[in-house]
Amino acid sequence: MPSLPDGDRGLARERTGLAWERTALGFAALSAVVLGVAAHRGKPGLIGLSVALVAVGLAAWRHGQRSYEDAAVAPQARALGLMALAIALTGVAAAIIVVAD
């Protein structure tokens, strides 16, 4: 495989930025679903969960923007760990909502 020139790192930055944007879009969609459930079932407590999901989505989107703007492509272990924690907490919240209903 030929080596890349110093200024050309391929499309890694673009792929990383797009992956974070997809994650943000997923959280936004999940927030809309939770908000719909809150409206149809008359559960105002779910509005807080929806707002939290929007906040996580915005954080993921902003992280993706910063990843795209950064010239260096580096591992993002902390960001991935925080996103995994957010996803796990979302699953726990969903399980609690299903069981409590």
Side-chain angles (χ1 to χ4, degrees):
M1 177 174 174
S3 61
L4 296 171
D6 289 336
D8 184 11
R9 291 287 200 187
L11 299 175
R13 288 184 324 148
E14 288 84 359
R15 287 192 310 265
T16 300
L18 288 172
W20 283 107
E21 286 183 15
R22 283 191 307 269
T23 301
L25 183 60
F27 273 100
L30 185 57
S31 172
V33 169
V34 170
L35 194 59
V37 170
H40 290 289
R41 293 195 181 176
K43 299 194 180 247
L46 293 178
I47 294 173
L49 178 59
S50 181
V51 169
L53 290 171
V54 166
V56 171
L58 285 173
W61 176 78
R62 181 61 191 135
H63 183 76
Q65 292 295 315
R66 281 185 276 146
S67 295
Y68 181 75
E69 293 166 357
D70 190 12
V73 178
Q76 301 175 359
R78 181 174 181 210
L80 290 175
L82 289 173
M83 194 54 56
L85 178 64
I87 291 169
L89 290 175
T90 301
V92 169
I96 290 171
I97 291 167
V98 168
V99 170
D101 195 20

